[in-house]
Amino acid sequence: MTPPDSPPAGTPDTAPQTPPDTPPDGAPPLRGLRVLDLATLFAGPLCATLLGDYGAEVVKVEHPSRPDPSRGHGPAKDGVGLWWKVLGRNKRTITLDLSTPGGRQTLLRLAATADVVVENFRPGTLERWGLGWEELAAANPRLVLARVTGFGQFGPYSHRPGFGTLAEAMSGFAAATGEPGGPPTLPPFGLADSVAALATAYAVMTALAARTATGRGQVVDMAIIEPILAVLGPQALWYDQLGYVQPRTGNRSRNNSPRNIYRTADGGWVAVSTSAQSVAERVMHLVGRPELTGEPWFATGSGRADHADELDRAVGSWIARQSCADAIAAFEKAEAAIAPVYDIRDVYADPQYQALGTITEVPDPELGTLRMQNVLFRLSETPGAIRWAGRPHGADTEAVLAELGLSPADIAALRTEGAL
């Protein structure tokens, strides 16, 4: 089901706005896929956002009086939460209290028309409302139910409240992050949630591919503590085979050197990486220390890591005499890997990001033109797109329910019941 056309020109900004349709040419690859987003904060909703970016019709279902808390997280403009504008993009928004009889019946009717349901209630909550997998599969045997929780659907911690911060702590990420001798360090953004969202979107597409072969849907059980552990590389194997526990090394790496952040003469910062042996050799020639490349220990990444103090002094002292621009130009000429350390202001101004269209403009009836991160990747034939930013709470309730076949009297009755 495709959102209706946008309102006629001249519709005042204060009137309810209908999300625009997707242009017919270059139809996105997930057009025709319907997703019900029942989740909040942040992995589940972001999974649905990623699907919506590539054409899925996403219907965001929020509680009538307790909307997704992301609407109130972080800075706001004119009382409108900005995080929600990103997380809620390409989603139609309706209100529904799933714990009421009317809300339950309406959700089952919606599920019968959907391909995917994404939820992140604690295990047993949907079952308590009569909306567990058994009931959802009876309404739609082809449905894929993505269940995103902190600890998964079973096990001794499954009923604990879980957030990405806990996954960053429990996975080993925080223990390996920070300066030597300093405390474990958490990221200042939703890293584990974002990794779990990517993993859940992949899992959903895998389940949909399986449905093509079997004709049946299935349950995706995503524990947020697991995907971030998966991206930590060989830590588990290192411990299994060697008893090795990765220590905190700051910006250094135990796998290669030089690898660090260095200060330039004009007060900037640059990152240098030498994962490839040839690049490490080029760097040492560039900074005037070619003799180090003849040392026996220089021949391997781990050998260089054992001599990081000497290599960092060589690279750091050379960079400290260069401006940021000159250091980058010299590394580029030497075909060595370097990048400036950016904040978001630099991202906006960078010509490579501009060439890629990484930051894009999105019209919004509440706040005007918004600039935000574009879709995650480019497809040459069927590209994704941001069709609209996050919409007001419940803005599409009447339209979505009417498309489901509910009459105005039915919708009024649900409102009287408190289901909407």
Side-chain angles (χ1 to χ4, degrees), residues 263-343:
R263 192 73 180 263
T264 62
D266 53 357
W269 295 93
V270 292
V272 171
S273 178
T274 59
S275 295
Q277 180 71 21
S278 59
V279 173
E281 293 171 0
R282 291 174 200 151
V283 169
M284 301 322 298
H285 280 83
L286 173 64
V287 302
R289 297 296 304 277
E291 74 281 2
L292 294 177
T293 64
E295 296 288 347
W297 50 261
F298 197 89
T300 65
S302 58
R304 297 197 308 274
D306 288 338
H307 292 79
D309 286 343
E310 185 173 4
L311 294 173
D312 272 344
R313 282 194 299 270
V315 175
S317 62
W318 184 88
I319 289 177
R321 300 191 298 272
Q322 319 297 319
S323 70
C324 187
D326 287 345
I328 291 171
F331 266 70
E332 186 173 349
K333 184 177 180 180
E335 298 185 1
I338 192 171
V341 175
Y342 279 173
D343 63 25

Side-chain angles (χ1 to χ4, degrees), residues 154-168:
F154 56 91
Y157 303 162
S158 59
H159 289 276
R160 291 182 180 179
F163 298 100
T165 297
L166 309 189
E168 289 147 10

